[in-house]
């Protein structure tokens, strides 16, 4: 577009925005919907969403001679959302078949569940395109009401059958599982049916899916079944008893057909492209996770080595460790044999994934002296699982003398021990210890979840922790602050409050979070006393009081408001919103009259969050505010009120010229679906 054209478009845009309500504005908006400049058309669509009635836009959809106008009208109707639904439903009865299809697509994208009753009969329409559009719309609407209608289509026309299967997968109702399973493997739609079963992921489908996997040989269908099994196992509350019944059958199969298939997947290198299946690319990562899940829950011991090798060599494979931890009974019987495996990667994986008991201690100790440092690190973690206090000195030695990976493993293990067992850590906090060792020892103390008795035992470390909380290096100060948070008493509290103004911002943020978790009474009184400090610390103190929801500090925060600069004022408003003290609504109302936009927006946010029925008139006024951020908060507040009286103003906001406001209003209307709609 030339400079002249851009200037002309800007002029038309300004003229469009300047039009007052009335016939002239409507005529100008409709004309601008087919403007040559995209920026003008886009603005016209926004204005049409707000100011043009669905009946008018619907007639433009029926105009076959002007594609630009039709597309603009479709976009505006979709943006009108629930407001346009009644008229879109009426369009389903029009004689123009393309208009019916457009209406179905718009209703599906708007997502109003109540239209299922209007859309469902169209799956039997004489026009196959309309019938298929109706089926697709039912899937997008995700209403269980549509399931019986869709199940009736599973044995009819192939294209409708495929569309119905896809729709059932999108809806996700377990009632569809038996009919879909019946289509596998001996039907032309077996693969789409499996894909739908994967999306539904119903626990009751697990046995049937594994049974089909055992008998199927076709690679692409087998992949689909395995992927579905992986998803179902992940969501199943107790998949072991279902899967384990297939273990013997698979392990004793002389052909090792399915085991060979699983082994190929388990040995796949994510750095390489996954091989094709029937000419189609395979989802290697998802297949890997699914094969691992089946191996673990079914107890396929011959497949453990490749799984453990991955755990040992791939730092991102913590998901596989989690699988073993969720199903400890499957790995434990094989642990002794696996810990003596000839491949050190298998040994390391077993140490990382095993759920060890006290009687396994001698076996684990053997590996603490292994020549391979990765094996030693894994043994440290295993000692943490066992939790024998006699092993603390051994772990402390690894913390002091081991390489970085050993030190990290020792930290995790030592954090599992009670405080009274950690006396051997004291030299690691001393001034002669290297900074990485000091930081690691502090991490041990900071990772702990203290009971009161345990916290008292921590006092032996208090003086040194407080001292290290002011260490020059943030790499030491950070863990020292976390350790201080585990200490009782005022000295630790002062260390945390000082950290609110630390020159290292991540420490500031963490100190605030740690303060919020401490003893509310003592912390609030200490922080409130610091509100008079006219320095950078006060901003952080205000934030901390807000996060603590310190009601007793609310009067002091309100009185301080006029003395502060804009940043602190915003933080005071946010703090008072979090505290929600009596009378805060009036404070927030007063803020709405201020000239600073950010103050008004934050106040509107608070009024929306704290609104009750008495605030409805105020929210209605805010819904017409010139600031779209304020209108957005009004929409959110009306949704939270959940009153029938909120429906009509929300329908208007759902047509707002700002898409963010319209989206918030539409989400709020979802909350009102169980409320009787107000009279239109």
């Amino acid at each position: 577009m030339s400079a002249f054209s851009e200037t002309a478009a800007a002029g038309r845009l300004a003229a469009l925005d300047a039009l007052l309500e009335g016939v002239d504005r409507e005529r100008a908006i409709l004309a601008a919907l087919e403007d040559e400049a995209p920026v003008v058309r886009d603005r016209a669509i926004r204005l049409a969403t707000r100011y043009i009635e669905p009946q008018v836009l619907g007639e433009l959809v029926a105009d076959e001679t002007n594609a630009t106008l039709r597309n603009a009208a479709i976009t505006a109707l979709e943006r009108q959302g629930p407001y346009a639904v009644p008229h879109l439903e009426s369009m389903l009865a029009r004689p123009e078949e393309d208009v019916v299809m457009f209406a179905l697509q718009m209703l599906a994208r708007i997502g109003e569940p109540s239209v299922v009753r209007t859309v469902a009969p169209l799956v039997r329409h004489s026009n196959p395109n309309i019938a298929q559009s109706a089926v697709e719309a039912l899937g997008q609407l995700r209403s269980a009401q549509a399931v019986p209608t869709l199940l009736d289509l599973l044995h009819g026309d192939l294209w409708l059958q495929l569309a119905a299967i896809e729709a059932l997968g999108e809806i996700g109702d377990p009632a569809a599982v038996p009919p879909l399973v019946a289509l596998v493997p001996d039907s032309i739609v077996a693969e789409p049916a499996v894909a739908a079963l994967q999306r539904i992921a119903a626990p009751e489908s697990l046995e049937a899916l594994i049974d089909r996997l055992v008998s199927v040989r076709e690679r692409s269908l087998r992949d689909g079944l395995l992927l579905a099994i992986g998803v179902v196992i992940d969501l199943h509350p107790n998949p072991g008893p279902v899967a384990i019944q297939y273990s013997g059958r698979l392990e004793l199969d002389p052909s090792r057909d399915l085991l060979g298939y699983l082994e190929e997947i388990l040995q796949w290198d994510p750095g390489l492209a996954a091989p094709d299946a029937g000419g189609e690319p395979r989802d290697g990562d998802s297949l890997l996770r699914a094969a691992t899940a089946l191996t673990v829950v079914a107890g396929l011991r011959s497949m453990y080595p490749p799984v453990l090798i991955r755990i040992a060599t791939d730092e991102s494979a913590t998901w596989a460790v989690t699988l073993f931890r969720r199903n400890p009974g499957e790995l434990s019987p094989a642990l002794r044999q696996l810990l003596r495996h000839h491949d050190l990667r298998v040994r390391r994986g077993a140490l990382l994934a095993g759920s060890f008991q006290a009687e396994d201690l001698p076996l684990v100790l053997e590996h603490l002296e292994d020549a391979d440092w990765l094996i030693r690190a894994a043994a440290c973690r295993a000692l943490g699982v066992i939790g024998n206090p006699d092993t603390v000195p051994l772990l402390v030695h690894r913390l002091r003398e081991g390489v970085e990976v050993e030190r990290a493993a020792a930290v995790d293990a030592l954090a599992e021990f009670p405080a009274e067992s950690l006396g051997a850590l004291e030299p690691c906090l001393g001034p002669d210890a290297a900074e990485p060792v000091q930081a690691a020892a502090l991490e041990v103390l900071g990772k702990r979840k203290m009971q009161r008795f345990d916290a008292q035992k921590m006092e032996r470390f208090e003086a040194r922790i407080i001292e290290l909380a002011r260490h020059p290096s943030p790499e030491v100060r950070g863990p020292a602050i976390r350790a201080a948070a585990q200490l009782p008493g005022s000295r630790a509290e002062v260390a945390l409050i000082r950290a609110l103004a630390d020159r290292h911002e991540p420490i500031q943020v963490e100190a605030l979070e740690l303060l919020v978790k401490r003893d509310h009474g003592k912390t609030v009184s200490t922080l409130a006393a610091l509100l008079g400090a006219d320095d950078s610390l006060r901003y952080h103190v205000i934030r901390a009081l807000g996060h603590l929801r310190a009601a007793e500090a609310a009067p002091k925060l309100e009185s301080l408001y006029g003395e502060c600069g804009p940043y602190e004022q915003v933080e005071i408003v946010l703090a008072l919103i979090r505290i929600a003290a009596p009378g805060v609504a009036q404070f927030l109302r007063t803020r709405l009259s201020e000239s600073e936009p950010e103050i008004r927006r934050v106040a509107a946010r608070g009024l929306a969050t704290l609104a009750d029925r008495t605030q409805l008139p105020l929210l209605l006024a805010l819904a017409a505010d010139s600031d779209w951020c304020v209108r957005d908060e009004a929409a959110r507040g009306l949704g939270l009120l959940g009153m029938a009286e909120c429906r009509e103003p929300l329908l208007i906001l759902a047509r707002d010229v700002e898409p963010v406001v319209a989206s918030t209003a539409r989400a709020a209307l979802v909350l009102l679906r169980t409320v009787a709609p107000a009279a239109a």
Side-chain angles (χ1 to χ4, degrees):
M1 185 183 293
S2 67
F4 175 78
S5 299
E6 288 182 4
T7 302
R12 296 196 300 276
L13 196 61
L16 194 60
D17 286 336
L19 287 168
L20 299 176
E21 188 171 353
V23 177
D24 288 342
R25 179 170 66 180
E26 180 172 321
R27 189 181 300 115
I29 292 171
L30 292 175
L33 288 176
E34 49 184 336
D35 194 279
E36 64 178 0
V39 66
V40 178
R41 289 200 304 273
D42 180 68
R43 187 61 178 173
I45 289 171
R46 291 191 183 195
L47 292 170
T49 301
R50 176 64 183 87
Y51 297 113
I52 307 298
E53 288 300 308
Q55 293 86 342
V56 177
L57 293 170
E59 290 305 315
L60 299 182
V61 175
D63 184 353
E64 297 181 0
T65 63
N66 192 328
T68 300
L69 204 53
R70 167 183 271 184
N71 291 336
I74 288 172
T75 302
L77 280 166
E78 283 186 21
R79 290 186 180 181
Q80 287 185 340
Y83 185 83
V85 164
H87 183 70
L88 290 173
E89 287 186 287
S90 72
M91 289 172 65
L92 296 179
R94 291 188 66 124
E96 306 97 330
E97 292 179 341
D98 57 343
V99 172
V100 176
M101 289 179 60
F102 284 132
L104 283 168
Q105 292 163 5
M106 287 186 277
L107 286 169
R109 287 192 283 264
I110 290 171
E112 175 65 42
S114 64
V115 305
V116 168
R117 66 183 186 279
T118 312
V119 173
L122 293 179
V123 303
R124 303 294 183 186
H125 199 280
S126 58
N127 184 318
N129 292 325
I130 290 179
Q132 185 168 337
S133 294
V135 173
E136 291 169 353
L138 291 176
Q140 288 178 264
L141 290 166
R142 291 181 173 84
S143 172
Q145 289 178 287
V147 170
T149 300
L150 295 169
L151 290 177
D152 287 343
L153 302 175
L154 288 184
H155 301 285
D157 176 84
L158 176 61
W159 295 112
L160 288 182
Q161 190 178 5
L162 287 167
I165 290 170
E166 173 71 18
L168 288 167
E170 289 193 42
I171 294 170
D173 191 327
V177 167
L180 289 171
V181 166
L183 298 173
V184 183
D186 299 320
S187 78
I188 195 171
V189 294
E191 288 187 36
V194 170
L197 287 166
Q198 178 182 346
R199 296 187 70 175
I200 296 171
E204 53 265 40
S205 67
L206 181 58
E207 184 170 359
L209 289 169
I210 297 178
D211 187 67
R212 301 303 193 273
L213 180 69
V214 171
S215 60
V216 164
R217 293 292 185 272
E218 182 187 344
R219 177 58 64 95
S220 59
L221 182 55
R222 183 178 264 181
D223 281 358
L225 285 163
L226 182 60
L227 290 172
I229 288 167
V231 174
V232 173
I233 285 175
D234 189 47
L235 299 175
H236 199 295
N238 186 23
V242 177
I244 201 74
Q245 60 186 310
Y246 291 90
S247 176
R249 181 176 169 185
L250 294 177
E251 294 278 23
L252 297 175
D253 177 11
S255 73
R256 289 184 60 83
D257 180 72
L258 184 56
L259 289 178
Y261 163 78
L262 292 174
E263 188 170 29
E264 173 203 337
I265 294 172
L266 292 171
Q267 292 177 340
W268 172 65
D269 182 354
L272 303 175
D276 291 348
E280 295 293 328
R282 301 169 77 188
D283 184 352
D285 186 64
S286 296
L287 285 169
L288 170 62
R289 289 174 179 254
T292 303
L294 180 59
T295 294
V296 172
V297 300
L300 302 177
R301 295 190 185 184
S302 64
M303 297 292 102
Y304 283 174
V307 174
L308 295 173
I309 287 172
R310 188 168 303 278
I311 289 172
T313 57
D314 184 353
E315 292 183 0
S316 66
T318 52
W319 51 270
V321 176
T322 301
L323 273 168
F324 276 120
R325 296 283 166 82
R326 283 173 54 189
N327 302 272
E330 309 311 327
L331 180 61
S332 296
L335 264 178
R336 186 168 295 275
Q337 178 183 358
L338 291 166
L339 286 173
R340 296 225 163 90
H341 197 277
H342 64 87
D343 191 325
L344 64 84
R345 298 171 300 171
V346 174
R347 300 199 299 274
R348 180 173 188 249
L351 286 165
L352 291 173
S355 296
F356 294 95
Q357 305 299 321
E359 57 268 24
D360 298 316
L361 180 59
L363 195 59
V364 174
L365 286 175
E366 291 178 18
H367 296 81
L368 197 63
E369 301 300 327
D370 197 280
D372 185 89
W373 52 271
L374 289 173
I375 293 282
R376 297 197 300 271
C380 287
R381 295 186 188 276
L383 290 178
V385 173
I386 295 172
N388 187 325
D390 293 340
T391 61
V392 167
L394 300 175
L395 289 167
V396 171
H397 177 73
R398 290 297 164 202
L399 185 147
R400 292 178 65 97
E401 306 297 335
V403 298
E404 185 176 351
V405 173
E406 287 180 87
R407 182 177 297 127
V411 167
D412 289 341
L414 287 166
E416 300 296 326
F417 288 85
E420 60 266 25
S421 303
L422 299 178
L425 268 182
E426 288 191 74
C428 299
L429 297 172
D432 296 333
E435 284 186 13
V437 173
Q438 291 177 334
L442 290 165
E443 288 287 0
V444 172
L445 301 175
K447 281 177 176 285
R448 308 191 49 72
K449 295 179 180 178
M450 294 293 173
Q451 301 296 326
R452 183 176 179 183
F453 175 76
D454 208 14
Q456 290 172 346
K457 295 291 185 180
M458 281 276 288
E459 290 178 1
R460 68 192 298 171
F461 303 108
E462 180 179 33
R464 187 58 181 157
I465 289 173
I466 299 300
E467 186 178 351
L468 290 173
R470 305 188 74 171
H471 194 278
S473 170
E475 305 305 320
V476 175
R477 283 201 315 280
I481 292 299
R482 290 190 285 277
Q486 303 290 356
L487 295 168
S490 59
R491 291 185 67 195
E493 196 156 280
V494 169
L496 290 171
I497 291 171
R498 284 183 180 278
L500 290 175
D502 194 279
R503 57 186 176 275
H504 193 58
E505 187 175 352
I507 293 179
Q508 294 177 5
V509 174
E510 189 166 20
L512 175 59
E513 294 172 354
L514 294 169
L515 272 169
V516 170
K517 295 176 184 177
R518 283 181 68 80
D519 182 348
H520 179 276
K522 294 179 181 178
T523 302
V524 168
S525 58
T526 305
L527 289 170
L530 292 171
L531 282 175
D534 187 15
D535 57 25
S536 60
L537 181 61
R538 185 167 66 184
Y539 172 85
H540 300 285
V541 170
I542 293 168
R543 290 188 67 217
L545 288 168
H547 283 280
L548 284 166
R549 292 172 170 77
E552 57 269 48
K556 194 165 184 178
L557 287 169
E558 281 196 41
S559 64
L560 186 66
Y561 182 83
E563 303 174 17
C564 297
Y567 294 112
E568 287 182 335
Q569 286 182 332
V570 169
E571 207 56 53
I572 287 175
V573 176
L574 288 171
L576 289 169
I577 292 169
R578 292 190 181 100
I579 293 169
V584 69
Q586 184 54 50
F587 175 83
L588 295 175
R589 281 173 176 263
T590 305
R591 304 285 76 76
L592 289 173
S593 63
E594 297 198 18
S595 59
E596 177 59 45
E598 187 59 27
I599 295 289
R600 294 188 74 248
R601 292 168 181 175
V602 173
R605 186 190 315 169
L607 287 165
T609 302
L610 305 175
D612 56 30
R613 290 176 174 268
T614 64
Q615 302 290 337
L616 179 59
L618 175 61
L619 289 176
L620 294 177
L622 295 179
D625 197 272
S626 60
D627 186 332
W628 70 265
C629 292
V630 173
R631 296 198 304 277
D632 188 57
E633 294 297 346
R636 187 173 65 87
L638 289 168
L640 292 174
L641 278 184
M643 299 166 60
E645 297 93 319
C646 298
R647 180 174 174 78
E648 194 63 32
L650 281 171
L651 284 172
I652 294 172
L653 287 167
R655 304 165 61 195
D656 199 273
V657 293
E658 284 295 334
V660 173
V661 179
S663 177
T664 300
R666 289 173 64 171
L669 283 164
V670 172
L671 299 176
L672 298 181
R673 281 176 181 160
T674 57
V675 179

